Amino acid sequence: MKQIRNNVIRAGLGALYFTGAHHLLRPIFAGVGAIFMLHHVRPPRDTGFQPNHHLEIAPEFLSAILAYLRASDIDIITMDELRRRLVERDFSRRFACVTLDDGYRDNRDFALPVLREFDAPCTVYVASDFAEGIGRLWWVALEMVIAKESTIEVKFGDVATHLDTGTPAAKQAAFDRLHGWLRGLPGEQDIQREVSALCARHGVDESTICRELCMSWDELKPFADDPLVTIGAHSITHCNLARQTEEIAGHEMATSRARIENALQHPVLHLAYPYGDRIAAGPREFDLARAAGFKTAVTTRPGMVFPESAEHLTALQRVSLNGNYQDERILPVLTSGAATAMWNGFRRIDAA
Ligand SMILES: [Zn+2]
C-alpha cells in the first residue's frame, strides 16, 4: 500500500513538473516561504531493505537544494528570523528555513559542512533522552529485527503470528504492517513494550541504537556553539504528545527545553512535535507549546508558510525533503507549494 502511495506521489510530482501545473498553482500556494524538514543527512547505503529511507537524504541532494534556493534568490534564514518576518509582516523577500529532527550525528558530520558551503543556518530539534543516550528509536529497532531474520514472531494481542521476512518485498510488507500497528497502539509505552519483546525474541540490542545514531551532550555542545546552528526541543522521550495527559505533554515540552538549555547554555525557543502529524499534535499541543514559552513550533503537516501563519506560530507546516524523492527536478515543484497543496487537500493553513 505504501509503495502504491509512493508511486502515486512520485507520478504526481513528475506530473506537476512536466505539465508545468506548479506554475499555475504558485500564486495561490507558494506562500511567502517554506520550512524544510530533514532527518538524517548521510551517504546512501546499498542494502535492499531500507524502510526508513524516507528519513534520509544524501549530502549531494542537500547541496542541490541549497544551490537551487540561492540561485532562486530565496533567503535562507533562522527560525528566529522567520518569526520576526511573520510578526512584522516583512514579506519583501521569499525565505526558507532548514530544520533537522532528532539530533543525529550525521547532521554534524554531513549536513553542517554543506550548510557552511552555502552559509545556510539550520535548526536541529533534539529529544533530550536521545542526547542522554537512553532514547528509544523503535522504528530503527524494528528495521534491525526484520533485516536480520527471514521470519519473525509477533504477538498481536494474545495471538502469536509468524510473518515472512525472507525477501526484501516481504520485509517491507512486514515493516509496514508492524509500523502501522505500533503507531495505532494506545500509548508510547505499548510501542516500547512490543518492540522490546520483538528485539529480545530476535536478539537485537536496542540499547545501543540511540548512542550510535544521536549526538551526546558532549557532542552537541560544540555543535550548538556553531554560529549556523540553532538547537530546538523535540520532547524528552520522543513520544506522541497528543496521546499523553495534558500534564505529561506539558512536562515533555517544558522539561526537554530546560534540560537542553541547562546542558548547552543556549536559549531554546523553538519546538518540533515528535511525529508531528495530526494524530501526534493538535490544538491542545499548539496551546501547550505556547504556554511552555516556545516562540515557534513545527509540525510535520505538509504546507508552506503564509502571511496568516503568523496567527499559528506553534502550528507551522513544513515541506518534507523525503529520501524517496531525491530528484533535483522536483525542487521547483516543492518551492511552488504545489506538492504540499496536493498532499494536504489544497488547503493553505491546516492548524485545526
Ligand atoms: Zn523526531
Side-chain angles (χ1 to χ4, degrees), residues 39 101-104 125 127 130 139 234 238 272-276 300 318:
H39 292 81
D101 289 12
D102 300 338
Y104 296 115
Y125 297 106
F130 289 6
W139 55 96
H234 196 41
H238 201 283
Y273 304 102
Y275 311 110
T300 61
R318 291 192 283 178

Side-chain angles (χ1 to χ4, degrees), residues 259-282:
R259 285 185 189 166
I260 299 167
E261 288 184 334
N262 187 47
L264 304 181
Q265 296 297 307
H266 286 282
V268 171
L269 303 172
H270 306 281
L271 173 78
Y273 304 102
Y275 311 110
D277 56 8
R278 185 171 284 282
I279 61 166

